[in-house]
Amino acid sequence: MDIDSFHAELVTALNESGLFNQVDIDIEEFVLHGRAHLDTQKFLQVHFNSQADTTSFSLIDQKKRTWGIDNDHRRGWHRHPIENPDDHITVEPLTVSQIIKELVEVLSSRP
């Protein structure tokens, strides 16, 4: 996926979720870094590198990763479940929209 397509799908999915009160995105050539804030202590950190074909979505709460979905050359697509974010569970490739929908489900199931 090219960076423009990733950016467009990300912005659409974040807006459709209705969860985020502020979104900051920085794009430099083929790399996108972003933060979508839920509140002052919790945000979704996003990294995408179209040249290296890597993707990272990390839910950060109190400065710690509590959930995530990544794609890298070492492990491929994998999930860091909310029950144990240090785990790496192999998953099929996901679209940006699917990842944001899963995040919404994870957040709605938390007390």
Side-chain angles (χ1 to χ4, degrees):
M1 176 182 289
D2 66 72
I3 196 136
D4 292 331
S5 299
F6 183 91
H7 179 240
E9 187 175 351
L10 176 64
V11 169
T12 298
L14 292 173
N15 285 334
E16 287 177 353
S17 76
L19 293 177
F20 303 98
N21 59 38
Q22 179 183 340
V23 176
D24 302 311
I25 296 175
D26 181 38
I27 298 173
E28 295 180 22
E29 292 185 54
F30 49 84
V31 178
L32 178 147
H33 296 281
R35 284 190 178 186
H37 300 269
L38 292 152
D39 59 40
T40 59
Q41 296 295 316
K42 193 183 306 177
F43 60 90
L44 177 66
Q45 183 170 294
V46 179
H47 173 83
F48 175 72
N49 184 320
S50 63
Q51 191 171 45
D53 192 29
T54 57
T55 306
S56 175
F57 286 81
S58 302
L59 179 62
I60 309 297
D61 189 358
Q62 304 291 324
K63 299 182 182 181
K64 293 183 181 180
R65 181 182 199 161
T66 59
W67 172 90
I69 293 180
D70 300 331
N71 176 40
D72 59 42
H73 295 287
R74 184 169 168 218
R75 292 188 175 97
W77 281 95
H78 59 279
R79 174 181 295 114
H80 299 270
I82 195 107
E83 303 81 21
N84 187 359
D86 291 331
D87 280 353
H88 297 83
I89 299 171
T90 301
V91 297
E92 293 297 317
L94 297 164
T95 67
V96 173
S97 298
Q98 290 171 319
I99 293 168
I100 299 302
K101 285 179 185 174
E102 183 172 320
L103 174 60
V104 169
E105 291 172 12
V106 164
L107 290 171
S108 67
S109 68
R110 292 182 81 183

